[in-house]
Amino acid sequence: MFKHKIFNKVLLTGSFIVTLLIIAKLSGVLQYAYVPQAGGEPNIKKNSFVFITNILPYEKFKLLIYNQSENEFGKGAYVHRLVGVAGDRIQIKNGELFVNNKFSDSALKLKHSYKIDRAYVNDLMLKGASENEFYPMDSDYFITQLSKDELNDNFFYERFINPNSDQEIVNIYHQSWNADNFGPVTVPQGKVFFLGDNRNASLDSRYIGFIDEKEITGRVFYPKN
């Protein structure tokens, strides 16, 4: 009899927890998403899960999830950092973000493009990097995406700023811009502007345009945000 009472309590508790989780999922209070790309690194790792809620405020410079419905870019839920709301002036100069003429990257952990030598490539691959993360410039130098924490003064590296316009960005904004030198542009009413933390490897508002406010569905709470 005693064992039956314990079993019934465990079963009841488990059923209650499952019911709460289902309600939380359906209401948006608790969501999760699989992130297959590296556009959110270093803060959201490629092939990881993020946990999201719709009860936290959708603040600027927080990682939010939104719906992207254009077939051209791939429909689905995107996770990027909200950097601009209606009326904000967005500009990227030599890879650095300015919002309303104020430098806005200082508190963020980001990845940027770097030119590195072959020895540095070998070192990173020994530490687990894949060979498809390196893009050869010539026989001696490569382009890759690194955070400041990954920089190693034992090897050659320098920031790589793309000097050429990006046709995909030109098609959206009709200006000779690229990911490193973009804008200025003002966010229209009812719209927002998102950037990925992996600034040179992210399909964000530079490439897909402004996003409707109503498409935001939640805020990442894990990883810590």
Side-chain angles (χ1 to χ4, degrees):
M1 180 66 72
F2 179 70
K3 289 183 178 180
H4 285 302
K5 286 184 178 181
I6 293 177
F7 176 78
N8 289 337
K9 286 183 178 180
V10 170
L11 183 61
L12 182 62
T13 301
S15 299
F16 178 70
I17 292 172
V18 170
T19 301
L20 284 180
L21 290 174
I22 292 172
I23 293 172
K25 174 67 176 176
L26 293 175
S27 65
V29 172
L30 177 63
Q31 309 167 55
Y32 65 91
Y34 174 69
V35 182
Q37 304 297 334
E41 291 187 347
N43 300 299
I44 298 178
K45 300 297 183 183
K46 181 180 179 179
N47 296 324
S48 66
F49 283 89
V50 295
F51 292 86
I52 305 142
T53 183
N54 62 6
I55 61 174
L56 292 174
Y58 301 160
E59 298 173 348
K60 272 169 56 173
F61 303 109
K62 296 297 184 181
L63 292 165
L64 306 183
I65 188 168
Y66 61 94
N67 292 318
Q68 202 295 114
S69 57
E70 296 294 331
N71 283 325
E72 181 181 357
F73 305 109
K75 290 183 178 182
Y78 282 40
V79 179
H80 286 133
R81 193 172 300 276
L82 177 66
V83 301
V85 297
D88 281 343
R89 182 179 186 271
I90 305 296
Q91 186 171 17
I92 301 173
K93 296 187 288 187
N94 292 323
E96 309 292 348
L97 172 66
F98 293 81
V99 179
N100 299 323
N101 301 315
K102 180 181 179 182
F103 178 59
S104 301
D105 282 345
S106 57
L108 302 176
K109 292 180 64 177
L110 304 171
K111 276 194 171 186
H112 292 286
S113 286
Y114 282 86
K115 176 183 176 180
I116 64 175
D117 62 11
R118 182 174 293 277
Y120 202 168
V121 171
N122 292 337
D123 180 71
L124 290 169
M125 290 185 66
L126 284 172
K127 294 175 179 176
S130 169
E131 61 180 347
N132 61 15
E133 295 177 33
F134 306 99
Y135 306 91
M137 299 181 70
D138 53 38
S139 60
D140 297 315
Y141 294 100
F142 300 77
I143 301 297
T144 193
Q145 315 305 317
L146 297 172
S147 66
K148 287 184 178 180
D149 292 342
E150 294 173 303
L151 299 180
N152 188 335
D153 291 336
N154 294 319
F155 302 98
F156 167 82
Y157 65 83
E158 65 180 18
R159 277 286 296 275
F160 177 79
I161 304 298
N162 186 359
N164 304 311
S165 63
D166 188 316
Q167 190 58 50
E168 294 182 4
I169 292 177
V170 173
N171 291 343
I172 296 293
Y173 293 96
H174 310 294
Q175 300 286 343
S176 297
W177 299 339
N178 62 29
D180 290 319
N181 285 287
F182 177 96
V185 64
T186 300
V187 182
Q189 290 298 315
K191 303 288 187 177
V192 292
F193 193 95
F194 283 99
L195 284 178
D197 288 347
N198 195 350
R199 289 288 171 78
N200 295 97
S202 174
L203 184 64
D204 50 40
S205 286
R206 292 169 295 184
Y207 294 94
I208 65 178
F210 301 109
I211 304 299
D212 288 339
E213 286 181 354
K214 63 183 180 181
E215 297 296 342
I216 299 174
T217 59
R219 171 174 157 181
V220 173
F221 67 88
Y222 182 82
K224 187 178 179 182
N225 175 33

